[in-house]
Amino acid sequence: MHVPPAAAVRRTVARAGAAVLGDLRAIDGALYAAVAATPTPTLDRALRRLSYAADHSKISLTVAGLLALGPGRSRRAALAGVGAVALASAAANLCGKRMVRRRRPDREEARVILDRHVPMPKSASFPSGHTASATAFATAVGVVLPAAAVPLGALAVAVGYARVHTGVHYPGDVAAGGVLGFAAAAASLAVVHMPRRRRS
């Protein structure tokens, strides 16, 4: 039985990988176009406002400030949440976007209506920093304060969808941001729950 050379195997794997990546991009673009083509006048302004409110993690930091006013577990939740946001934001903006450098969607070509528009960021599209930060905060706080998990999780999902709805991200960017947010939350929680002896 003939075994192909290593170079031939690598080429085959590379071609298969490129084909799969192309298919995923096609699905991503089709989902973006479907959202753009679906009229939702009742949601348009609300999601645009939500997208604005999520800039620079304003919603998450406001919630964290309120939680920090409480004692014990509430304060630990605030600390874990802020730490997770910091990690997610750094990972998305300083690493992910610079490594992938994906172009932002073309809203004009997709005919995203003007009532949905927010300013198109100048940074790369992948991953969604808004989604990463919102997911990181919701996950970290939700682990420490389970009662907050559902409302904050729903808010994170809404923020992610709002970024697609307003035309500034592809769905794939949002999905990647969500995964990154979970990882950032796990790292933050590991530090917050680390025994004091180890931290010292």
Side-chain angles (χ1 to χ4, degrees):
M1 180 178 178
H2 176 67
V3 178
V9 172
R10 286 196 296 270
R11 284 196 297 269
T12 302
V13 172
R15 282 196 296 268
V20 170
L21 189 59
D23 288 348
L24 291 175
R25 285 194 183 123
I27 293 170
D28 207 17
L31 289 172
Y32 178 87
V35 171
T38 303
T40 53
T42 305
L43 292 176
D44 289 346
R45 291 186 181 180
L47 289 172
R48 185 181 65 186
R49 288 172 182 166
L50 176 60
S51 186
Y52 273 122
D55 286 346
H56 309 295
S57 299
K58 291 192 293 286
I59 299 174
S60 296
L61 295 179
T62 299
V63 173
L66 295 173
L67 290 173
L69 297 176
R73 182 177 290 187
S74 178
R75 192 168 297 174
R76 287 199 305 274
L79 180 61
V82 170
V85 168
L87 289 172
S89 180
N93 294 299
L94 300 180
C95 298
K97 291 180 183 294
R98 293 184 180 184
M99 289 175 61
V100 179
R101 296 185 181 278
R102 186 183 195 185
R103 287 188 178 183
R104 293 277 175 172
D106 188 338
R107 280 191 300 203
E108 286 68 31
E109 182 180 354
R111 297 182 180 178
V112 176
I113 65 171
L114 291 176
D115 276 350
R116 298 184 183 182
H117 282 203
V118 296
M120 181 67 76
K122 295 180 180 179
S123 60
S125 189
F126 184 97
S128 167
H130 283 67
T131 307
S133 295
T135 302
F137 184 79
T139 304
V141 172
V143 168
V144 182
L145 287 178
V150 172
L152 289 179
L155 179 61
V157 170
V159 167
Y161 176 74
R163 299 303 282 172
V164 178
H165 194 86
T166 55
V168 298
H169 274 297
Y170 292 103
D173 304 333
V174 169
V179 172
L180 185 58
F182 283 124
S188 180
L189 288 165
V191 173
V192 170
H193 288 297
M194 188 182 296
R196 291 184 180 180
R197 288 182 181 177
R198 291 180 61 188
R199 278 188 288 186
S200 63

